[in-house]
Amino acid sequence: MRSRKLVAMRKYQNWIILIFLIIFSGSLLRAYRLSSESLWLDEGHSVRMAKLPVSQMVEEIAANKHPPVYFLALHGWISIFGDSEFSVRALSAIFGVLAIALLYQIASLLFGRTTGLLAALLLSLSSFNLFYSQEARMYSLLTFLSLGSMYYFIKWLSGGKKWASVGYLVFSTLLIYTQNFGFFIILAQNIYLAGLLLHPRSRSGTPLKSWIIRSEEHTSELQSHSFISYAVF
């Protein structure tokens, strides 16, 4: 019995070491050459907005119909760390690193720790995510908040306690007020909930894992049919 506990503990320690190495590597990649290029047009706009007094910033944001969370976060960040290229981009890099950890948690909840590690590794090496993690714009924050919203959504569906619903409310609210496309994450979650209510097995609940797998199967079928149609015609 004791030997089993030791094996389980060592295995758990190995998981911790692996996810730490993945997150650490992702951090280095996001910090590499972070200030090698000058700010481009949109980044300059972000910095200009963030350096305004909060009242004036909110007025401009309202006039341009841009959600305010990122600019407010960057405003506070610049007031502490300054407005150099490295500094203003570092905030996005931090959100990019946090997104790796969150994706690990989500994939582990749904498919197990091995899949969680693989998902975290893929995100840490993703050129797309690396690009936006090194840009002084809101897209890295959008990714982080989207994953946070999904994490607490899954915990809530799994019968999580009150903290799960509070976490979901906080992340989802910040998400909507960060970028307009965040609305589609909330929409997808509500479509899934509606499916639970309309599905014959809604009383026992349809696991999110099964829903994701079926969605992937349907997508693959559609892609194969599209390929066959293209090949024929």
Side-chain angles (χ1 to χ4, degrees), residues 125-139:
L125 300 176
S126 167
S127 59
F128 186 78
N129 188 263
L130 277 169
F131 177 82
Y132 285 110
S133 293
Q134 294 186 322
E135 187 178 64
R137 295 292 287 164
M138 71 285 297
Y139 304 111

Side-chain angles (χ1 to χ4, degrees), residues 29-48:
L29 288 172
R30 281 151 183 77
Y32 178 68
R33 294 175 59 86
L34 193 59
S35 59
S36 62
E37 297 182 9
S38 59
L39 300 177
W40 71 290
L41 181 63
D42 283 4
E43 289 181 302
H45 172 71
S46 295
V47 174
R48 184 189 72 83

Side-chain angles (χ1 to χ4, degrees), residues 68-104:
V69 168
Y70 173 75
F71 299 109
L72 290 170
L74 188 60
H75 175 85
W77 181 266
I78 287 175
S79 67
I80 300 172
F81 299 103
D83 61 353
S84 66
E85 282 90 349
F86 185 92
S87 177
V88 297
R89 288 171 176 159
L91 182 61
S92 294
I94 291 171
F95 287 129
V97 173
L98 293 175
I100 297 172
L102 265 179
L103 184 60
Y104 167 75

Side-chain angles (χ1 to χ4, degrees), residues 146-147 149-151 153-154 156-157 168 172 175-176 180-197 206-208 211-212 215:
S146 297
L147 290 170
S149 176
M150 287 301 303
Y151 173 75
F153 178 71
I154 294 168
W156 176 68
L157 285 179
Y168 175 74
S172 298
L175 173 62
I176 293 173
N180 292 324
F181 287 152
F183 166 78
F184 291 104
I185 301 296
I186 311 301
L187 178 63
Q189 293 165 348
N190 280 274
I191 289 174
Y192 175 75
L193 285 177
L196 285 182
L197 295 174
T206 304
L208 189 59
W211 182 70
I212 292 172
S215 298

